[in-house]
Amino acid sequence: AQTVTQSQPEMSVQEAETVTLSCTYDTSESDYYLFWYKQPPSRQMILVIRQEAYKQQNATENRFSVNFQKAAKSFSLKISDSQLGDAAMYFCAYRRLGGGSNYKLTFGKGTLLTVNP
Amino acid sequence: NAGVTQTPKFQVLKTGQSMTLQCAQDMNHNSMYWYRQDPGMGLRLIYYSASEGTTDKGEVPNGYNVSRLNKREFSLRLESAAPSQTSVYFCASSEGTGHTDTQYFGPGTRLTVL
């Protein structure tokens, strides 16, 4: 079974600085998808960024980028120029390729990010 | 375009009571999901519906039933609520086709069972 580990229960960053959140996963599959979701105090789960394992290029979305190391099974999220609105719980998630039960997302336990003014 | 909506937002039940959580999506998605989120844990899949007319168990299905009423709606029923079912429940939907099948989530329902 796939597992997702986020080793940092809490992180903090100064406004305008850069922070990196860590995620590792365990799988025997060669193709899969990885996601970072953000959950602010409103509890809404918001997709931040997505990475396809078959793509070597790291995904970027504005101030958010990932460092995807397939061999190491590592998928870290970098937030540049941190803003107060980035404060939230961040979840790393894994999904197998294909349909049916493979659509299940496996989540890590989350990292609570605090942004200090 | 409201995305994924859930009702109610909050609910308090007594042990043994029943209730249904409602979920609807307006994105014409084929697949829908129910997750629960407990403190200190990520979301765990309860049930999912890959397409209209089909439902399957996820990781933690015990104590729940689901109904895929039509393509838009997917409900979760607790027949006899237990304190262990106190949690935040999220509904999600996705296109259900293709490789990059991203799930989009509703705002959640906070359920307390006394």
Side-chain angles (χ1 to χ4, degrees), chain A residues 3 17 19 29-30 41 52 57 93 98 105 111:
Chain A
T3 59
E17 298 293 308
V19 65
E29 304 290 326
S30 59
E52 291 86 353
Q57 186 173 6
L105 285 171
T111 296

mmCIF file with all atom_site columns, all heavy atoms in Angstrom, chain A residues 3 17 19 29-30 41 52 57 93 98 105 111:
data_model
loop_
_atom_site.group_PDB
_atom_site.id
_atom_site.type_symbol
_atom_site.label_atom_id
_atom_site.label_alt_id
_atom_site.label_comp_id
_atom_site.label_asym_id
_atom_site.label_entity_id
_atom_site.label_seq_id
_atom_site.pdbx_PDB_ins_code
_atom_site.Cartn_x
_atom_site.Cartn_y
_atom_site.Cartn_z
_atom_site.occupancy
_atom_site.B_iso_or_equiv
_atom_site.pdbx_formal_charge
_atom_site.auth_seq_id
_atom_site.auth_comp_id
_atom_site.auth_asym_id
_atom_site.auth_atom_id
_atom_site.pdbx_PDB_model_num
ATOM 1  N N   . THR A 1 3   ? 2.067   4.921  0.992   1.00 0.00 ? 3   THR A N   1
ATOM 2  C CA  . THR A 1 3   ? 2.038   5.783  2.175   1.00 0.00 ? 3   THR A CA  1
ATOM 3  C C   . THR A 1 3   ? 2.668   7.118  1.823   1.00 0.00 ? 3   THR A C   1
ATOM 4  O O   . THR A 1 3   ? 3.552   7.197  0.963   1.00 0.00 ? 3   THR A O   1
ATOM 5  C CB  . THR A 1 3   ? 2.799   5.160  3.356   1.00 0.00 ? 3   THR A CB  1
ATOM 6  O OG1 . THR A 1 3   ? 4.144   4.927  2.965   1.00 0.00 ? 3   THR A OG1 1
ATOM 7  C CG2 . THR A 1 3   ? 2.161   3.854  3.807   1.00 0.00 ? 3   THR A CG2 1
ATOM 8  N N   . GLU A 1 17  ? 9.641   35.834 2.809   1.00 0.00 ? 17  GLU A N   1
ATOM 9  C CA  . GLU A 1 17  ? 10.720  34.848 2.746   1.00 0.00 ? 17  GLU A CA  1
ATOM 10 C C   . GLU A 1 17  ? 10.247  33.586 2.021   1.00 0.00 ? 17  GLU A C   1
ATOM 11 O O   . GLU A 1 17  ? 9.079   33.463 1.632   1.00 0.00 ? 17  GLU A O   1
ATOM 12 C CB  . GLU A 1 17  ? 11.200  34.507 4.160   1.00 0.00 ? 17  GLU A CB  1
ATOM 13 C CG  . GLU A 1 17  ? 11.785  35.684 4.920   1.00 0.00 ? 17  GLU A CG  1
ATOM 14 C CD  . GLU A 1 17  ? 13.083  36.169 4.309   1.00 0.00 ? 17  GLU A CD  1
ATOM 15 O OE1 . GLU A 1 17  ? 13.994  35.340 4.087   1.00 0.00 ? 17  GLU A OE1 1
ATOM 16 O OE2 . GLU A 1 17  ? 13.175  37.384 4.018   1.00 0.00 ? 17  GLU A OE2 1
ATOM 17 N N   . VAL A 1 19  ? 9.975   29.311 1.999   1.00 0.00 ? 19  VAL A N   1
ATOM 18 C CA  . VAL A 1 19  ? 9.877   28.146 2.879   1.00 0.00 ? 19  VAL A CA  1
ATOM 19 C C   . VAL A 1 19  ? 9.676   26.896 2.030   1.00 0.00 ? 19  VAL A C   1
ATOM 20 O O   . VAL A 1 19  ? 9.080   26.955 0.949   1.00 0.00 ? 19  VAL A O   1
ATOM 21 C CB  . VAL A 1 19  ? 8.711   28.318 3.882   1.00 0.00 ? 19  VAL A CB  1
ATOM 22 C CG1 . VAL A 1 19  ? 7.372   28.357 3.173   1.00 0.00 ? 19  VAL A CG1 1
ATOM 23 C CG2 . VAL A 1 19  ? 8.721   27.225 4.945   1.00 0.00 ? 19  VAL A CG2 1
ATOM 24 N N   . GLU A 1 29  ? 4.918   1.646  -7.698  1.00 0.00 ? 29  GLU A N   1
ATOM 25 C CA  . GLU A 1 29  ? 4.491   2.014  -9.041  1.00 0.00 ? 29  GLU A CA  1
ATOM 26 C C   . GLU A 1 29  ? 5.543   2.887  -9.706  1.00 0.00 ? 29  GLU A C   1
ATOM 27 O O   . GLU A 1 29  ? 6.323   3.577  -9.039  1.00 0.00 ? 29  GLU A O   1
ATOM 28 C CB  . GLU A 1 29  ? 3.167   2.784  -8.977  1.00 0.00 ? 29  GLU A CB  1
ATOM 29 C CG  . GLU A 1 29  ? 2.048   2.050  -8.277  1.00 0.00 ? 29  GLU A CG  1
ATOM 30 C CD  . GLU A 1 29  ? 1.549   0.862  -9.071  1.00 0.00 ? 29  GLU A CD  1
ATOM 31 O OE1 . GLU A 1 29  ? 1.549   0.944  -10.305 1.00 0.00 ? 29  GLU A OE1 1
ATOM 32 O OE2 . GLU A 1 29  ? 1.171   -0.155 -8.455  1.00 0.00 ? 29  GLU A OE2 1
ATOM 33 N N   . SER A 1 30  ? 5.550   2.886  -11.039 1.00 0.00 ? 30  SER A N   1
ATOM 34 C CA  . SER A 1 30  ? 6.485   3.737  -11.762 1.00 0.00 ? 30  SER A CA  1
ATOM 35 C C   . SER A 1 30  ? 5.817   5.015  -12.264 1.00 0.00 ? 30  SER A C   1
ATOM 36 O O   . SER A 1 30  ? 6.472   6.026  -12.478 1.00 0.00 ? 30  SER A O   1
ATOM 37 C CB  . SER A 1 30  ? 7.098   2.973  -12.943 1.00 0.00 ? 30  SER A CB  1
ATOM 38 O OG  . SER A 1 30  ? 6.069   2.535  -13.820 1.00 0.00 ? 30  SER A OG  1
ATOM 39 N N   . PRO A 1 41  ? -7.937  28.105 7.371   1.00 0.00 ? 41  PRO A N   1
ATOM 40 C CA  . PRO A 1 41  ? -8.884  27.951 8.490   1.00 0.00 ? 41  PRO A CA  1
ATOM 41 C C   . PRO A 1 41  ? -10.330 27.733 8.051   1.00 0.00 ? 41  PRO A C   1
ATOM 42 O O   . PRO A 1 41  ? -11.115 27.169 8.798   1.00 0.00 ? 41  PRO A O   1
ATOM 43 C CB  . PRO A 1 41  ? -8.725  29.274 9.258   1.00 0.00 ? 41  PRO A CB  1
ATOM 44 C CG  . PRO A 1 41  ? -7.310  29.668 8.991   1.00 0.00 ? 41  PRO A CG  1
ATOM 45 C CD  . PRO A 1 41  ? -7.038  29.250 7.578   1.00 0.00 ? 41  PRO A CD  1
ATOM 46 N N   . GLU A 1 52  ? 3.056   15.153 -12.429 1.00 0.00 ? 52  GLU A N   1
ATOM 47 C CA  . GLU A 1 52  ? 2.966   13.818 -13.007 1.00 0.00 ? 52  GLU A CA  1
ATOM 48 C C   . GLU A 1 52  ? 4.334   13.162 -12.913 1.00 0.00 ? 52  GLU A C   1
ATOM 49 O O   . GLU A 1 52  ? 5.342   13.766 -13.296 1.00 0.00 ? 52  GLU A O   1
ATOM 50 C CB  . GLU A 1 52  ? 2.548   13.894 -14.481 1.00 0.00 ? 52  GLU A CB  1
ATOM 51 C CG  . GLU A 1 52  ? 1.125   14.361 -14.704 1.00 0.00 ? 52  GLU A CG  1
ATOM 52 C CD  . GLU A 1 52  ? 0.979   15.880 -14.758 1.00 0.00 ? 52  GLU A CD  1
ATOM 53 O OE1 . GLU A 1 52  ? 1.955   16.602 -14.487 1.00 0.00 ? 52  GLU A OE1 1
ATOM 54 O OE2 . GLU A 1 52  ? -0.133  16.332 -15.056 1.00 0.00 ? 52  GLU A OE2 1
ATOM 55 N N   . GLN A 1 57  ? 10.309  17.481 -15.578 1.00 0.00 ? 57  GLN A N   1
ATOM 56 C CA  . GLN A 1 57  ? 10.315  18.895 -15.218 1.00 0.00 ? 57  GLN A CA  1
ATOM 57 C C   . GLN A 1 57  ? 9.462   19.128 -13.984 1.00 0.00 ? 57  GLN A C   1
ATOM 58 O O   . GLN A 1 57  ? 8.330   18.632 -13.882 1.00 0.00 ? 57  GLN A O   1
ATOM 59 C CB  . GLN A 1 57  ? 9.766   19.727 -16.374 1.00 0.00 ? 57  GLN A CB  1
ATOM 60 C CG  . GLN A 1 57  ? 9.866   21.220 -16.169 1.00 0.00 ? 57  GLN A CG  1
ATOM 61 C CD  . GLN A 1 57  ? 9.466   22.003 -17.410 1.00 0.00 ? 57  GLN A CD  1
ATOM 62 O OE1 . GLN A 1 57  ? 9.010   21.427 -18.387 1.00 0.00 ? 57  GLN A OE1 1
ATOM 63 N NE2 . GLN A 1 57  ? 9.651   23.307 -17.367 1.00 0.00 ? 57  GLN A NE2 1
ATOM 64 N N   . ALA A 1 93  ? -0.318  14.639 -1.291  1.00 0.00 ? 93  ALA A N   1
ATOM 65 C CA  . ALA A 1 93  ? -1.183  13.507 -1.618  1.00 0.00 ? 93  ALA A CA  1
ATOM 66 C C   . ALA A 1 93  ? -0.656  12.766 -2.839  1.00 0.00 ? 93  ALA A C   1
ATOM 67 O O   . ALA A 1 93  ? -0.019  13.357 -3.718  1.00 0.00 ? 93  ALA A O   1
ATOM 68 C CB  . ALA A 1 93  ? -2.622  13.978 -1.856  1.00 0.00 ? 93  ALA A CB  1
ATOM 69 N N   . GLY A 1 98  ? -4.440  5.588  -13.584 1.00 0.00 ? 98  GLY A N   1
ATOM 70 C CA  . GLY A 1 98  ? -5.550  4.760  -14.009 1.00 0.00 ? 98  GLY A CA  1
ATOM 71 C C   . GLY A 1 98  ? -6.841  5.070  -13.305 1.00 0.00 ? 98  GLY A C   1
ATOM 72 O O   . GLY A 1 98  ? -6.940  6.014  -12.540 1.00 0.00 ? 98  GLY A O   1
ATOM 73 N N   . LEU A 1 105 ? -7.071  9.187  -3.451  1.00 0.00 ? 105 LEU A N   1
ATOM 74 C CA  . LEU A 1 105 ? -5.938  9.986  -3.002  1.00 0.00 ? 105 LEU A CA  1
ATOM 75 C C   . LEU A 1 105 ? -5.489  9.477  -1.645  1.00 0.00 ? 105 LEU A C   1
ATOM 76 O O   . LEU A 1 105 ? -6.306  9.266  -0.757  1.00 0.00 ? 105 LEU A O   1
ATOM 77 C CB  . LEU A 1 105 ? -6.337  11.453 -2.873  1.00 0.00 ? 105 LEU A CB  1
ATOM 78 C CG  . LEU A 1 105 ? -6.493  12.262 -4.159  1.00 0.00 ? 105 LEU A CG  1
ATOM 79 C CD1 . LEU A 1 105 ? -7.108  13.618 -3.854  1.00 0.00 ? 105 LEU A CD1 1
ATOM 80 C CD2 . LEU A 1 105 ? -5.149  12.444 -4.840  1.00 0.00 ? 105 LEU A CD2 1
ATOM 81 N N   . THR A 1 111 ? 1.191   19.597 7.176   1.00 0.00 ? 111 THR A N   1
ATOM 82 C CA  . THR A 1 111 ? 2.143   20.518 7.809   1.00 0.00 ? 111 THR A CA  1
ATOM 83 C C   . THR A 1 111 ? 1.438   21.838 8.004   1.00 0.00 ? 111 THR A C   1
ATOM 84 O O   . THR A 1 111 ? 0.904   22.409 7.049   1.00 0.00 ? 111 THR A O   1
ATOM 85 C CB  . THR A 1 111 ? 3.387   20.736 6.927   1.00 0.00 ? 111 THR A CB  1
ATOM 86 O OG1 . THR A 1 111 ? 4.089   19.503 6.787   1.00 0.00 ? 111 THR A OG1 1
ATOM 87 C CG2 . THR A 1 111 ? 4.301   21.790 7.542   1.00 0.00 ? 111 THR A CG2 1
#
